[in-house]
Structure formats: C-alpha cells, structure tokens
Amino acid sequence: KNQVEQSPQSLIILEGKNCTLQCNYTVSPFSNLRWYKQDTGRGPVSLTIMTFSENTKSNGRYTATLDADTKQSSLHITASQLSDSASYICVVSDRGSTLGRLYFGRGTQLTVWP
Amino acid sequence: EADIYQTPRYLVIGTGKKITLECSQTMGHDKMYWYQQDPGMELHLIHYSYGVNSTEKGDLSSESTVSRIRTEHFPLTLESARPSHTSQYLCASQVASGGTDTQYFGPGTRLTVL
C-alpha cells in the first residue's frame, strides 16, 4: 500500500532554533516529492519539489533532502521564526498513471514560541 | 502568489440544504482538483478535472458533484448537506504539461453542517 508517514506529529521549538522534520514513504514507482507549508485555515503552499535524481534543495531557510534508496526525506528549518508556525506536509507523486497521483502525509504541526 | 480563489471561506448551514462551493483560477490551468481535509488528517482527493467538460471522481467517495464548463471555474455542489459533510474543502489547479508541476491551492472553504 502506498503511504507517506511523517514524524513527529507535532513539534514545539523556540524562536531562532533549528529543527528537522521527517518523511518516510512507500510510494512506488516514484516521481517526485514535495514539501508544502499550510498555515492554519489556509491552503498548502509549495516549498520545494525534488525528483529522483535530486538529493537536496533549498528555499531560503528551508532545506529539503531526499534519499530515494531508503525512501526518506527531511525538511530542515534554520533559525526559526514565529511565522514558521504551520503544518508541514510531505507529498509524494507516483509516475504510474497519467494523473501523476499524489500521496499526502498527515503533516507535522510546528509551533515556534518567542 | 497563486491566483486561485474559493468562496465562501466559511459556511455554516442546516442539514438538507443544497450548497455550492466556488473555485476559480486565473492562471489558465487545465487541471483542477477538489480535496477534503479533516483536522490533523491528510488531504483526500474527491474530484478532479483535466479540462472543460472533463470530470472524474477521486479516491475518497463523496456525495458531492462537480462541473467544468469553463477552464477557470470548478464548482462543487452538495445537493443535500449532512453533518458528515462537515470538513475543510480545498481546491487546487495545475499546469497540464507534466507531473512535476506544482499544484496551487486555494485558501479553502470550511463547511459546518448542523
């Protein structure tokens, strides 16, 4: 069964600290992996997207890594800010259909305290 | 910033009412999607469309229906709302040129059926 598992489910950190969120997936075949940020009451916004051949990609203070062999990804947030408080969702796409079907994780709820 | 809009943002209605959730995008995207998301849970695809006059059901069984008469407009209708329909509904759109293109999400409609 194709699945996307994220950990931790929730995380609280102090402003200025770094943190790393994890994503493990069993989706096969694999096309790409995306990290989205979803603020409370809003739709998800794309942070990064990585294909099979990419193992790291940065977007400002966000750095995503991908290990396609172990089917693991991480999202590292550097020097956290209060505005980073949100749910971070890992999404994996297969290439087995014309839909390019997306498999969503349940997200990690990050709270940044002052 | 993605140009995809959803109205209303919040809706509280009584059981048995007919409702239509609106979704519009000004990016000219051919692919559009409706997702349902409950708190702390992953997004579930309920409907999608590849273009005008093309609509398909997604993975999650839904009593809602959709239409795609114009490229920019993808409304979702519930003929008779029930408390079990209480959820957040997210609309998304995507360029049709390839599977790595990002899905852009609207802000969502939070529906409460009493």
Side-chain angles (χ1 to χ4, degrees), chain A residues 38 41-43, chain B residues 9 35-38 85-90 107-111:
Chain A
Q38 184 176 22
R42 308 291 297 181
Chain B
R9 291 292 316 282
Y35 292 91
Q36 187 172 338
Q37 184 184 31
D38 293 318
H85 296 138
T86 295
S87 188
Q88 166 136 314
Y89 293 84
L90 291 164
T109 294
R110 179 159 297 281
L111 173 65

Side-chain angles (χ1 to χ4, degrees), chain A residues 17-60:
Chain A
K17 298 296 186 182
N18 304 335
C19 67
T20 300
L21 315 180
Q22 300 291 342
C23 174
N24 297 336
Y25 62 92
T26 60
V27 177
S28 181
F30 173 85
S31 175
N32 57 74
L33 184 147
R34 315 154 194 251
W35 283 93
Y36 280 88
K37 177 186 179 187
Q38 184 176 22
D39 292 315
T40 301
R42 308 291 297 181
V45 175
S46 178
L47 294 175
T48 65
I49 178 171
M50 289 182 292
T51 58
F52 185 89
S53 59
E54 298 173 297
N55 55 25
T56 186
K57 183 165 284 189
S58 293
N59 177 3

Side-chain angles (χ1 to χ4, degrees), chain B residues 70-90:
Chain B
R70 304 198 314 266
T71 297
E72 62 271 21
H73 197 212
F74 191 40
L76 181 147
T77 299
L78 275 168
E79 291 293 332
S80 181
R82 296 206 303 270
S84 60
H85 296 138
T86 295
S87 188
Q88 166 136 314
Y89 293 84
L90 291 164

Side-chain angles (χ1 to χ4, degrees), chain A residues 31-32 34 49 51 93-95 97-102, chain B residues 29-31 33 50 93-104:
Chain A
S31 175
N32 57 74
R34 315 154 194 251
I49 178 171
T51 58
S93 178
D94 67 17
R95 61 171 187 260
S97 69
T98 56
L99 176 60
R101 181 186 165 157
L102 301 184
Chain B
H29 290 170
D30 288 318
K31 293 181 178 179
Y33 308 83
Y50 279 160
S93 71
Q94 182 182 16
V95 175
S97 62
T100 58
D101 291 310
T102 299
Q103 286 195 7
Y104 295 93

Side-chain angles (χ1 to χ4, degrees), chain B residues 47-59:
Chain B
H47 296 284
Y48 62 95
S49 167
Y50 279 160
V52 172
N53 294 325
S54 158
T55 62
E56 300 288 344
K57 288 188 178 296
D59 306 316

